[in-house]
Each structure stands twice: as C-alpha cells, then as structure tokens.
Amino acid sequence: MRTKMRLLGFRGAAVKPLNEEAAAELGAELLGEALVFGVGGLCLYLEYLRQAGQSRRREEHLEQTLSDLRDGLERLQRELEEL
C-alpha cells in the first residue's frame, strides 16, 4: 500500500496495514500492471529496432545503387574518351 501511495505521489502519509487478502490482491494487481507495462515497453523497443534496421538497409541499398551508377558513369566516360 505504501508503494501504491508513493506511485500516486503521496509522501509521508501514514498508511494503516492491510489485511492479508487485500494485500495479496493489491500485490497481484501491481504485479500484473508491471508485467503489462514491461511487455508493452519491450514491444515498443523491438519495433524501434526493426524500423532502425529497415532504415539502415534502405540507406545501404541507396548507397550501393549510387555507387553502381557512379561506376557506370566513369566507365562510359572512359569509353567516350577512347572513341
């Protein structure tokens, strides 16, 4: 109960002890919420990693294409000079 009150922003408030059943229920609720929050955070992190990887692959592909075009241009310029 003290933890819940601290999370809600109450500091130094005197809290009377809960009975065992209410404490177990409150603990289970807190644990469940922490688990849901943790899984949600993990999903967001994994999605961020996926998007970052996709962006990096896209950039590498564009750089490779640009490099190929430059090589082709240089080859054509050499051929033109030979002619």
Side-chain angles (χ1 to χ4, degrees):
M1 191 65 180
R2 281 186 220 116
T3 303
K4 183 177 180 182
M5 295 304 273
R6 285 186 186 138
L7 288 174
L8 292 174
F10 296 107
R11 303 275 184 222
V15 178
K16 65 179 184 175
L18 294 174
N19 63 18
E20 190 173 321
E21 184 180 325
E25 185 177 324
L26 190 59
E29 184 179 323
L30 186 62
L31 183 63
E33 288 176 4
L35 182 65
V36 168
F37 182 75
V39 169
L42 180 63
C43 288
L44 286 174
Y45 179 69
L46 291 174
E47 180 63 21
Y48 169 77
L49 289 179
R50 187 181 74 84
Q51 290 292 328
Q54 218 174 34
S55 176
R56 183 178 34 83
R57 283 189 300 276
R58 186 178 308 126
E59 223 174 276
E60 288 173 355
H61 177 70
L62 288 175
E63 285 185 22
Q64 180 65 37
T65 302
L66 184 59
S67 175
D68 292 344
L69 288 173
R70 285 182 182 150
D71 291 343
L73 180 62
E74 289 175 5
R75 183 180 50 81
L76 288 173
Q77 285 176 341
R78 281 193 308 266
E79 288 179 8
L80 182 61
E81 288 174 2
E82 289 175 4
L83 291 174

